[in-house]
Amino acid sequence: RNDKSGAINCQAIFDRMEELNTQSQAMEQQLFPINNDSFNTLISAWCQSKEPWSAHKANEALEKMEEAHAKNMSASAEASSVKPNGISYNMVIQKWCQNMDDLSKWKIVDKIMERYVQRFHLDDEFEAAFDSQLFIAMINAYPLHRTSRIVETGQFPVDVPERLHSQMESLYKDAGLEKCKPSVNTYNALLRYYSNRARSPWLTSRLLERMYMLYSKYGDEDMAPNADSYNIVLETLAKSKITAKAKMSGRTLLRMARFYVDGHEKAKPTVASFNLVLSSAASTGPEASATDKRVAFRVASIAFKQLQNPIFDSPNRETYGLMLEACANLLPFGSRKRAHVVNALFHSCVSEGQVDMFVIDNLRKAASTCDFNDLTGLDNIEEQKILPSDWSRNVDGDGKDRIVVSTYGEVASNEASLVEGSEKSFIKQKYKSDRTIEKRGQKLLRGGRSD
């Protein structure tokens, strides 16, 4: 099984065993009895093979195994020595889930799964091997053809991934299969599916809401959203073209922070979470109204300010680059506020050693030519892409030696004065005791002014 022709050789041996057994039928004795191990070894060999037809051969072996079982059971009341088990089905399904590229292949997987579930329900002695990983693999493999109905209306399509998830829930609740218990990992698989295939922020947001509801209902930590759950929703929003994506991203980040404050450590916002909010704001389209742009910039400002909080990850080069891009896209060119913000951002970025060409490229977009030259003082920066080493000393680093600096007026931060106590008590003080930031965020998300 480990060499290139292993599956072919294994098939040849299996075929020879069947041939010899057929020739010995007159003696009413099989020279080479074929049992479950024989079939599962053959299936395993094809599942490990890289031959282009290997998935078809694995399925053929499984179908032959099913036929042998049915034939033996009809010929004798005794238990058959050949009987497909959960391992047989799992191997074939997992094989087909690799390199899934069209619906025609998926139809084969769907039929295998249908036979698998049917056998489980009809045969009390069937040794099933259902688990959440099998369903996650199938959800990740399913190719969704985008439809305008799904993307534009945000309605949950009654399609295969949703049905698979419901099927898994049924096996857990009704059949008592503990390994099929829905968890944050299975919901995250659905979130990725709707994010990568449907690319609908409405679908991902509604799935996240469902996770909240289930966690509130059962109080099961395995169902509680984690940082990946939120980040998938934030990424979907950042890639979308909806006008209100900055406001929706800010609301999601605020909810994520509150969930973390309430004791869910795995939901702690990361620098990627903040950067995705900044990306949503910075990519607010040129067709957006002046009000939408103003709201988007306030969302970016508040997110950037919160990242100055020492309990979170340090801002990185992407943070500064995206914030400069937000300035370029959302603030009027030539305005004093834009010049002031860009100047403060770049000096902060230099102080923290997070300058790279991504930052420089967005600085060039955000600053006037005169201001750009004054800020950088580098004539050969565009041609040779040479930066002072001190400017980039923390790029791609862990930022442990981060310098907390004040930023421009509207987002000037006093988080550098860390109160005594644990990180959790500090964040509770910032998000609960001190209601100023929260009220500003809530007012902002309703479309009002933040000052």
Side-chain angles (χ1 to χ4, degrees):
R1 291 184 294 172
N2 295 325
D3 57 75
K4 186 175 181 180
S5 59
I8 297 175
N9 293 335
C10 189
Q11 183 70 61
I13 294 171
F14 186 90
D15 292 342
R16 180 58 176 163
M17 290 171 63
E18 284 193 316
E19 181 182 349
L20 292 173
N21 286 336
T22 301
Q23 294 174 0
S24 64
Q25 281 183 351
M27 298 183 295
E28 298 183 353
Q29 181 181 2
Q30 288 188 336
L31 296 176
F32 300 96
I34 295 178
N35 54 26
N36 275 10
D37 290 339
S38 310
F39 275 102
N40 281 342
T41 300
L42 178 61
I43 292 173
S44 177
W46 282 119
C47 287
Q48 295 178 55
S49 172
K50 296 182 179 180
E51 297 291 350
W53 61 84
S54 55
H56 289 279
K57 299 297 289 185
N59 189 36
E60 286 179 9
L62 177 61
E63 290 176 341
K64 183 176 286 188
M65 190 178 190
E66 292 172 328
E67 291 172 3
H69 173 67
K71 182 178 180 180
N72 290 346
M73 290 301 294
S74 62
S76 173
E78 298 180 2
S80 171
S81 61
V82 177
K83 183 178 182 179
N85 54 27
I87 295 175
S88 316
Y89 287 98
N90 281 23
M91 286 191 295
V92 178
I93 290 174
Q94 293 275 9
K95 176 65 176 179
W96 274 99
C97 285
Q98 300 171 10
N99 303 318
M100 181 69 64
D101 53 9
D102 60 62
L103 287 174
S104 62
K105 292 182 179 179
W106 176 262
K107 291 178 180 178
I108 298 175
V109 176
D110 207 24
K111 289 181 179 179
I112 297 171
M113 189 64 174
E114 184 179 351
R115 302 199 310 264
Y116 190 3
V117 175
Q118 184 179 34
R119 186 173 293 275
F120 169 72
H121 287 300
L122 295 179
D123 187 349
D124 293 336
E125 298 181 357
F126 178 69
E127 298 177 4
F130 293 111
D131 59 26
S132 60
Q133 293 305 312
L134 178 67
F135 285 94
I136 290 174
M138 295 179 70
I139 291 171
N140 289 337
Y142 181 68
L144 171 69
H145 292 266
R146 293 180 62 188
T147 66
S148 58
R149 180 185 68 81
I150 295 174
V151 176
E152 293 176 4
T153 67
Q155 297 297 315
F156 270 100
V158 184
D159 61 5
V160 176
E162 189 68 17
R163 174 167 58 82
L164 284 170
H165 197 270
S166 299
Q167 197 172 52
M168 184 182 68
E169 289 181 329
S170 176
L171 288 170
Y172 169 64
K173 295 178 181 178
D174 301 334
L177 297 183
E178 188 67 25
K179 290 185 178 181
C180 290
K181 176 184 177 182
S183 68
V184 64
N185 292 330
T186 55
Y187 278 101
N188 284 352
L190 266 181
L191 283 170
R192 290 189 190 94
Y193 166 75
Y194 286 121
S195 176
N196 297 333
R197 308 294 172 84
R199 301 177 187 174
S200 171
W202 309 110
L203 291 176
T204 53
S205 296
R206 289 180 62 181
L207 270 174
L208 183 62
E209 186 64 32
R210 183 190 296 183
M211 294 174 72
Y212 276 118
M213 293 174 60
L214 287 173
Y215 170 72
S216 300
K217 181 177 180 179
Y218 297 107
D220 191 336
E221 286 295 332
D222 290 339
M223 295 183 182
N226 59 18
D228 285 342
S229 313
Y230 290 98
N231 286 347
I232 293 169
V233 176
L234 290 171
E235 183 179 0
T236 312
L237 285 165
K239 292 179 178 179
S240 73
K241 296 181 180 180
I242 61 175
T243 305
K245 64 180 181 178
K247 184 186 294 188
M248 292 176 66
S249 294
R251 184 184 297 117
T252 302
L253 181 62
L254 180 62
R255 194 169 191 180
M256 183 181 189
R258 286 175 174 171
F259 204 57
Y260 168 61
V261 168
D262 289 339
H264 301 90
E265 297 289 342
K266 293 181 180 180
K268 181 178 180 180
T270 64
V271 67
S273 311
F274 289 93
N275 287 347
L276 287 167
V277 175
L278 296 180
S279 179
S280 287
S283 60
T284 298
E287 71 282 355
S289 66
T291 300
D292 290 330
K293 289 183 178 181
R294 187 163 56 250
V295 170
F297 188 74
R298 287 176 185 156
V299 170
S301 299
I302 291 177
F304 185 82
K305 176 179 178 179
Q306 293 306 303
L307 195 51
Q308 300 296 306
N309 190 323
I311 65 169
F312 293 126
D313 294 339
S314 305
N316 58 18
R317 59 102 191 173
E318 187 177 4
T319 310
Y320 285 101
L322 289 169
M323 197 64 199
L324 287 168
E325 185 180 357
C327 292
N329 295 340
L330 303 174
L331 296 179
F333 182 79
S335 67
R336 294 178 61 184
K337 180 177 182 179
R338 175 163 162 168
H340 175 63
V341 170
V342 169
N343 185 289
L345 278 170
F346 185 70
H347 282 298
S348 176
C349 188
V350 170
S351 298
E352 297 200 19
Q354 291 290 350
V355 181
D356 70 349
M357 290 310 301
F358 176 67
V359 173
I360 294 297
D361 289 343
N362 283 299
L363 176 65
R364 185 177 293 279
K365 297 176 185 177
S368 65
T369 302
C370 182
D371 288 345
F372 178 84
N373 292 335
D374 289 342
L375 285 168
T376 61
L378 302 174
D379 296 331
N380 64 345
I381 192 171
E382 186 66 23
E383 293 78 11
Q384 301 183 29
K385 301 186 185 306
I386 296 176
L387 296 172
S389 59
D390 188 55
W391 287 14
S392 304
R393 66 186 183 277
N394 289 327
V395 171
D396 296 328
D398 55 18
K400 290 181 179 179
D401 297 324
R402 168 182 168 228
I403 302 172
V404 179
V405 296
S406 295
T407 55
Y408 55 90
E410 181 178 338
V411 295
S413 176
N414 63 355
E415 272 81 9
S417 56
L418 181 62
V419 298
E420 294 183 359
S422 65
E423 288 188 352
K424 185 55 63 65
S425 66
F426 176 65
I427 193 172
K428 285 183 178 180
Q429 185 268 334
K430 299 307 291 181
Y431 278 93
K432 290 184 176 180
S433 300
D434 183 0
R435 307 290 290 181
T436 303
I437 294 174
E438 183 175 338
K439 288 180 179 179
R440 284 185 68 194
Q442 291 175 335
K443 192 172 182 180
L444 169 65
L445 295 174
R446 291 195 299 269
R449 295 182 60 84
S450 62
D451 46 18

